[in-house]
Short mmCIF file of all heavy atoms in Angstrom, two decimals:
data_model
loop_
_atom_site.label_atom_id
_atom_site.label_comp_id
_atom_site.label_asym_id
_atom_site.label_seq_id
_atom_site.Cartn_x
_atom_site.Cartn_y
_atom_site.Cartn_z
N LEU A 1072 -38.35 97.35 55.77
CA LEU A 1072 -39.44 98.23 55.36
C LEU A 1072 -40.80 97.73 55.84
O LEU A 1072 -41.83 98.31 55.51
CB LEU A 1072 -39.46 98.38 53.83
CG LEU A 1072 -38.24 99.06 53.20
CD1 LEU A 1072 -38.32 98.99 51.68
CD2 LEU A 1072 -38.13 100.51 53.66
N LYS A 1073 -40.80 96.63 56.61
CA LYS A 1073 -42.03 96.05 57.16
C LYS A 1073 -42.96 95.53 56.07
O LYS A 1073 -44.20 95.58 56.19
CB LYS A 1073 -42.79 97.06 58.04
CG LYS A 1073 -41.95 97.72 59.12
CD LYS A 1073 -41.37 96.72 60.09
CE LYS A 1073 -40.57 97.40 61.19
NZ LYS A 1073 -39.85 96.44 62.06
N VAL A 1074 -42.38 95.04 54.97
CA VAL A 1074 -43.16 94.45 53.90
C VAL A 1074 -43.12 92.92 54.07
O VAL A 1074 -42.03 92.33 54.12
CB VAL A 1074 -42.58 94.82 52.50
CG1 VAL A 1074 -43.35 94.10 51.40
CG2 VAL A 1074 -42.64 96.33 52.30
N PRO A 1075 -44.26 92.25 54.19
CA PRO A 1075 -44.26 90.80 54.37
C PRO A 1075 -43.58 90.08 53.21
O PRO A 1075 -43.76 90.47 52.04
CB PRO A 1075 -45.76 90.45 54.44
CG PRO A 1075 -46.44 91.72 54.82
CD PRO A 1075 -45.62 92.82 54.21
N MET A 1076 -42.81 89.05 53.50
CA MET A 1076 -42.15 88.26 52.47
C MET A 1076 -43.06 87.11 52.06
O MET A 1076 -43.36 86.22 52.85
CB MET A 1076 -40.82 87.71 52.99
CG MET A 1076 -39.66 88.68 52.91
SD MET A 1076 -39.35 89.30 51.23
CE MET A 1076 -39.21 87.77 50.31
N LEU A 1077 -43.49 87.13 50.80
CA LEU A 1077 -44.35 86.07 50.28
C LEU A 1077 -43.56 84.87 49.79
O LEU A 1077 -44.10 83.76 49.73
CB LEU A 1077 -45.22 86.61 49.14
CG LEU A 1077 -46.19 87.73 49.53
CD1 LEU A 1077 -46.84 88.32 48.29
CD2 LEU A 1077 -47.25 87.22 50.49
N GLY A 1078 -42.28 85.08 49.45
CA GLY A 1078 -41.48 83.94 49.03
C GLY A 1078 -40.34 84.28 48.10
O GLY A 1078 -40.19 85.43 47.66
N MET A 1079 -39.54 83.24 47.80
CA MET A 1079 -38.42 83.35 46.87
C MET A 1079 -38.65 82.40 45.70
O MET A 1079 -39.17 81.29 45.87
CB MET A 1079 -37.11 82.99 47.57
CG MET A 1079 -36.67 84.00 48.61
SD MET A 1079 -35.15 83.48 49.49
CE MET A 1079 -33.93 83.62 48.17
N ILE A 1080 -38.26 82.86 44.50
CA ILE A 1080 -38.32 82.05 43.28
C ILE A 1080 -36.90 81.82 42.81
O ILE A 1080 -36.12 82.78 42.71
CB ILE A 1080 -39.12 82.75 42.17
CG1 ILE A 1080 -40.56 83.02 42.62
CG2 ILE A 1080 -39.11 81.92 40.88
CD1 ILE A 1080 -41.33 83.92 41.66
N GLU A 1081 -36.56 80.57 42.51
CA GLU A 1081 -35.25 80.29 41.91
C GLU A 1081 -35.42 80.16 40.40
O GLU A 1081 -36.02 79.21 39.91
CB GLU A 1081 -34.64 79.01 42.48
CG GLU A 1081 -33.23 78.75 41.95
CD GLU A 1081 -32.61 77.50 42.52
OE1 GLU A 1081 -32.81 76.42 41.93
OE2 GLU A 1081 -31.94 77.60 43.57
N ASN A 1082 -34.90 81.14 39.66
CA ASN A 1082 -34.96 81.12 38.21
C ASN A 1082 -33.67 80.53 37.66
O ASN A 1082 -32.63 80.55 38.32
CB ASN A 1082 -35.17 82.55 37.68
CG ASN A 1082 -35.56 82.58 36.22
OD1 ASN A 1082 -36.12 81.62 35.70
ND2 ASN A 1082 -35.29 83.69 35.55
N MET A 1083 -33.74 79.98 36.44
CA MET A 1083 -32.57 79.35 35.78
C MET A 1083 -32.00 78.24 36.66
O MET A 1083 -30.78 78.07 36.77
CB MET A 1083 -31.50 80.39 35.47
CG MET A 1083 -32.00 81.60 34.71
SD MET A 1083 -30.68 82.76 34.31
CE MET A 1083 -31.60 84.29 34.12
N SER A 1084 -32.88 77.46 37.28
CA SER A 1084 -32.45 76.42 38.22
C SER A 1084 -31.60 75.35 37.56
O SER A 1084 -30.63 74.87 38.14
CB SER A 1084 -33.67 75.77 38.88
OG SER A 1084 -34.35 76.69 39.68
N PHE A 1085 -32.00 74.96 36.37
CA PHE A 1085 -31.27 73.91 35.65
C PHE A 1085 -31.64 73.99 34.17
O PHE A 1085 -32.62 74.65 33.81
CB PHE A 1085 -31.60 72.52 36.21
CG PHE A 1085 -33.07 72.20 36.21
CD1 PHE A 1085 -33.69 71.65 35.10
CD2 PHE A 1085 -33.85 72.47 37.33
CE1 PHE A 1085 -35.05 71.36 35.09
CE2 PHE A 1085 -35.21 72.19 37.33
CZ PHE A 1085 -35.81 71.64 36.21
N PHE A 1086 -30.87 73.30 33.35
CA PHE A 1086 -31.18 73.17 31.94
C PHE A 1086 -31.66 71.75 31.70
O PHE A 1086 -30.93 70.80 31.96
CB PHE A 1086 -29.97 73.49 31.07
CG PHE A 1086 -30.24 73.37 29.59
CD1 PHE A 1086 -31.12 74.24 28.97
CD2 PHE A 1086 -29.63 72.39 28.83
CE1 PHE A 1086 -31.38 74.14 27.61
CE2 PHE A 1086 -29.88 72.28 27.47
CZ PHE A 1086 -30.76 73.15 26.86
N ASP A 1087 -32.90 71.61 31.26
CA ASP A 1087 -33.49 70.29 31.04
C ASP A 1087 -33.13 69.82 29.63
O ASP A 1087 -33.78 70.18 28.65
CB ASP A 1087 -35.01 70.37 31.23
CG ASP A 1087 -35.65 69.00 31.32
OD1 ASP A 1087 -35.09 68.04 30.76
OD2 ASP A 1087 -36.71 68.89 31.95
N VAL A 1088 -32.09 68.99 29.56
CA VAL A 1088 -31.58 68.53 28.26
C VAL A 1088 -32.63 67.70 27.53
O VAL A 1088 -32.84 67.84 26.32
CB VAL A 1088 -30.29 67.71 28.45
CG1 VAL A 1088 -29.75 67.26 27.10
CG2 VAL A 1088 -29.24 68.51 29.21
N GLN A 1089 -33.32 66.84 28.26
CA GLN A 1089 -34.31 65.96 27.65
C GLN A 1089 -35.46 66.76 27.04
O GLN A 1089 -35.89 66.48 25.92
CB GLN A 1089 -34.85 64.99 28.71
CG GLN A 1089 -35.72 63.88 28.16
CD GLN A 1089 -35.84 62.74 29.14
OE1 GLN A 1089 -34.97 61.90 29.23
NE2 GLN A 1089 -36.93 62.72 29.88
N SER A 1090 -35.95 67.76 27.77
CA SER A 1090 -37.02 68.60 27.24
C SER A 1090 -36.56 69.38 26.02
O SER A 1090 -37.31 69.57 25.06
CB SER A 1090 -37.51 69.57 28.32
OG SER A 1090 -38.13 68.87 29.37
N TYR A 1091 -35.31 69.84 26.07
CA TYR A 1091 -34.76 70.58 24.93
C TYR A 1091 -34.74 69.70 23.68
O TYR A 1091 -35.11 70.14 22.58
CB TYR A 1091 -33.35 71.06 25.25
CG TYR A 1091 -32.65 71.72 24.08
CD1 TYR A 1091 -33.00 73.00 23.67
CD2 TYR A 1091 -31.66 71.05 23.37
CE1 TYR A 1091 -32.38 73.60 22.59
CE2 TYR A 1091 -31.02 71.64 22.29
CZ TYR A 1091 -31.38 72.92 21.91
OH TYR A 1091 -30.77 73.50 20.83
N LEU A 1092 -34.32 68.44 23.84
CA LEU A 1092 -34.27 67.53 22.69
C LEU A 1092 -35.68 67.24 22.16
O LEU A 1092 -35.89 67.15 20.95
CB LEU A 1092 -33.58 66.23 23.08
CG LEU A 1092 -32.08 66.32 23.38
CD1 LEU A 1092 -31.54 64.99 23.89
CD2 LEU A 1092 -31.30 66.77 22.14
N LEU A 1093 -36.64 67.11 23.07
CA LEU A 1093 -38.02 66.87 22.64
C LEU A 1093 -38.58 68.08 21.89
O LEU A 1093 -39.32 67.93 20.91
CB LEU A 1093 -38.91 66.57 23.85
CG LEU A 1093 -38.81 65.17 24.45
CD1 LEU A 1093 -39.58 65.10 25.75
CD2 LEU A 1093 -39.35 64.12 23.46
N GLU A 1094 -38.19 69.26 22.33
CA GLU A 1094 -38.74 70.49 21.75
C GLU A 1094 -38.02 70.91 20.48
O GLU A 1094 -38.65 71.37 19.53
CB GLU A 1094 -38.64 71.62 22.79
CG GLU A 1094 -39.42 72.86 22.43
CD GLU A 1094 -39.42 73.87 23.56
OE1 GLU A 1094 -38.34 74.15 24.11
OE2 GLU A 1094 -40.50 74.39 23.91
N ARG A 1095 -36.70 70.73 20.45
CA ARG A 1095 -35.90 71.26 19.34
C ARG A 1095 -35.16 70.20 18.53
O ARG A 1095 -34.62 70.50 17.47
CB ARG A 1095 -34.87 72.27 19.87
CG ARG A 1095 -35.49 73.49 20.53
CD ARG A 1095 -36.40 74.23 19.56
NE ARG A 1095 -37.08 75.34 20.17
CZ ARG A 1095 -36.62 76.57 20.21
NH1 ARG A 1095 -35.48 76.87 19.67
NH2 ARG A 1095 -37.33 77.51 20.80
N GLY A 1096 -35.11 68.99 19.04
CA GLY A 1096 -34.36 67.95 18.34
C GLY A 1096 -35.07 67.45 17.10
O GLY A 1096 -36.28 67.63 16.93
N GLY A 1097 -34.32 66.78 16.22
CA GLY A 1097 -34.89 66.18 15.04
C GLY A 1097 -35.56 64.85 15.37
O GLY A 1097 -35.60 64.43 16.53
N PRO A 1098 -36.07 64.16 14.35
CA PRO A 1098 -36.76 62.87 14.58
C PRO A 1098 -35.92 61.85 15.32
O PRO A 1098 -36.42 61.14 16.19
CB PRO A 1098 -37.08 62.40 13.15
CG PRO A 1098 -37.11 63.65 12.33
CD PRO A 1098 -36.09 64.56 12.94
N LYS A 1099 -34.62 61.78 15.02
CA LYS A 1099 -33.75 60.79 15.69
C LYS A 1099 -33.60 61.13 17.17
O LYS A 1099 -33.64 60.24 18.03
CB LYS A 1099 -32.38 60.75 15.00
CG LYS A 1099 -32.39 60.12 13.63
CD LYS A 1099 -30.97 60.05 13.05
CE LYS A 1099 -30.98 59.40 11.66
NZ LYS A 1099 -29.62 59.36 11.09
N ALA A 1100 -33.41 62.42 17.47
CA ALA A 1100 -33.25 62.84 18.87
C ALA A 1100 -34.52 62.55 19.66
O ALA A 1100 -34.47 62.03 20.78
CB ALA A 1100 -32.92 64.33 18.93
N ARG A 1101 -35.69 62.87 19.07
CA ARG A 1101 -36.94 62.62 19.77
C ARG A 1101 -37.15 61.13 20.00
O ARG A 1101 -37.64 60.71 21.06
CB ARG A 1101 -38.11 63.20 18.95
CG ARG A 1101 -38.14 64.71 18.89
CD ARG A 1101 -39.50 65.21 18.42
NE ARG A 1101 -39.51 66.65 18.25
CZ ARG A 1101 -39.39 67.27 17.09
NH1 ARG A 1101 -39.23 66.57 15.98
NH2 ARG A 1101 -39.41 68.59 17.02
N LYS A 1102 -36.79 60.33 19.01
CA LYS A 1102 -36.96 58.88 19.13
C LYS A 1102 -36.10 58.33 20.26
O LYS A 1102 -36.53 57.47 21.03
CB LYS A 1102 -36.58 58.22 17.80
CG LYS A 1102 -36.97 56.75 17.72
CD LYS A 1102 -36.71 56.20 16.32
CE LYS A 1102 -37.12 54.73 16.25
NZ LYS A 1102 -36.88 54.16 14.90
N LEU A 1103 -34.87 58.84 20.39
CA LEU A 1103 -33.98 58.41 21.47
C LEU A 1103 -34.55 58.77 22.84
O LEU A 1103 -34.51 57.96 23.77
CB LEU A 1103 -32.60 59.05 21.30
CG LEU A 1103 -31.67 58.44 20.25
CD1 LEU A 1103 -30.45 59.33 20.04
CD2 LEU A 1103 -31.24 57.04 20.68
N VAL A 1104 -35.09 59.98 22.94
CA VAL A 1104 -35.65 60.42 24.22
C VAL A 1104 -36.87 59.57 24.59
O VAL A 1104 -37.01 59.11 25.73
CB VAL A 1104 -36.05 61.92 24.16
CG1 VAL A 1104 -36.81 62.31 25.42
CG2 VAL A 1104 -34.81 62.78 24.00
N GLU A 1105 -37.75 59.36 23.62
CA GLU A 1105 -38.97 58.61 23.88
C GLU A 1105 -38.68 57.14 24.20
O GLU A 1105 -39.42 56.51 24.95
CB GLU A 1105 -39.92 58.72 22.68
CG GLU A 1105 -40.51 60.12 22.53
CD GLU A 1105 -41.12 60.36 21.16
OE1 GLU A 1105 -41.07 59.43 20.31
OE2 GLU A 1105 -41.65 61.47 20.94
N ALA A 1106 -37.59 56.61 23.65
CA ALA A 1106 -37.23 55.21 23.92
C ALA A 1106 -36.67 55.03 25.33
O ALA A 1106 -36.70 53.94 25.89
CB ALA A 1106 -36.22 54.72 22.89
N GLY A 1107 -36.17 56.13 25.90
CA GLY A 1107 -35.61 56.06 27.25
C GLY A 1107 -34.18 55.53 27.23
O GLY A 1107 -33.65 55.10 26.20
N GLY A 1108 -33.55 55.55 28.39
CA GLY A 1108 -32.19 55.03 28.49
C GLY A 1108 -31.14 55.97 27.96
O GLY A 1108 -29.97 55.57 27.79
N LEU A 1109 -31.51 57.22 27.69
CA LEU A 1109 -30.56 58.18 27.14
C LEU A 1109 -29.56 58.63 28.21
O LEU A 1109 -28.43 59.00 27.90
CB LEU A 1109 -31.31 59.38 26.57
CG LEU A 1109 -30.58 60.31 25.61
CD1 LEU A 1109 -30.14 59.55 24.37
CD2 LEU A 1109 -31.48 61.47 25.21
N PHE A 1110 -30.00 58.59 29.48
CA PHE A 1110 -29.14 59.01 30.59
C PHE A 1110 -28.97 57.85 31.57
O PHE A 1110 -29.85 57.01 31.72
CB PHE A 1110 -29.75 60.22 31.29
CG PHE A 1110 -29.93 61.41 30.39
CD1 PHE A 1110 -31.13 61.62 29.72
CD2 PHE A 1110 -28.89 62.31 30.18
CE1 PHE A 1110 -31.30 62.70 28.88
CE2 PHE A 1110 -29.05 63.39 29.34
CZ PHE A 1110 -30.25 63.59 28.68
N GLU A 1111 -27.84 57.85 32.26
CA GLU A 1111 -27.51 56.74 33.15
C GLU A 1111 -28.45 56.63 34.32
O GLU A 1111 -28.89 55.55 34.70
CB GLU A 1111 -26.07 56.88 33.65
CG GLU A 1111 -25.04 56.33 32.69
CD GLU A 1111 -23.69 56.18 33.35
OE1 GLU A 1111 -23.64 56.01 34.58
OE2 GLU A 1111 -22.69 56.23 32.62
N ALA A 1112 -28.75 57.74 34.96
CA ALA A 1112 -29.58 57.71 36.17
C ALA A 1112 -30.65 58.78 36.09
O ALA A 1112 -30.47 59.81 35.42
CB ALA A 1112 -28.71 57.93 37.41
N PRO A 1113 -31.80 58.58 36.77
CA PRO A 1113 -32.84 59.62 36.81
C PRO A 1113 -32.28 60.92 37.37
O PRO A 1113 -31.57 60.93 38.37
CB PRO A 1113 -33.89 59.02 37.76
CG PRO A 1113 -33.67 57.54 37.71
CD PRO A 1113 -32.19 57.36 37.50
N GLY A 1114 -32.59 62.00 36.70
CA GLY A 1114 -32.08 63.31 37.11
C GLY A 1114 -30.88 63.77 36.31
O GLY A 1114 -30.54 64.95 36.32
#
């Protein structure tokens, strides 16, 4: 249609477990996240 393409957006790319725990978790979950070491490797 000769419409210029400005770009593509990838929605629902991933579920951020750490952010979910910070946002919705209880005090123990937040403490674990803030202490670090909850996951084996970055990412």
Side-chain angles (χ1 to χ4, degrees):
L1072 296 174
K1073 308 300 182 187
V1074 175
M1076 277 303 307
L1077 297 172
M1079 291 177 69
I1080 300 170
E1081 184 179 89
N1082 194 25
M1083 308 182 203
S1084 294
F1085 56 87
F1086 180 66
D1087 192 333
V1088 181
Q1089 189 162 279
S1090 294
Y1091 175 75
L1092 292 175
L1093 283 171
E1094 192 173 48
R1095 297 302 176 91
K1099 289 183 179 179
R1101 291 196 184 100
K1102 191 174 180 180
L1103 282 170
V1104 172
E1105 290 164 359
L1109 197 61
F1110 300 93
E1111 277 194 26

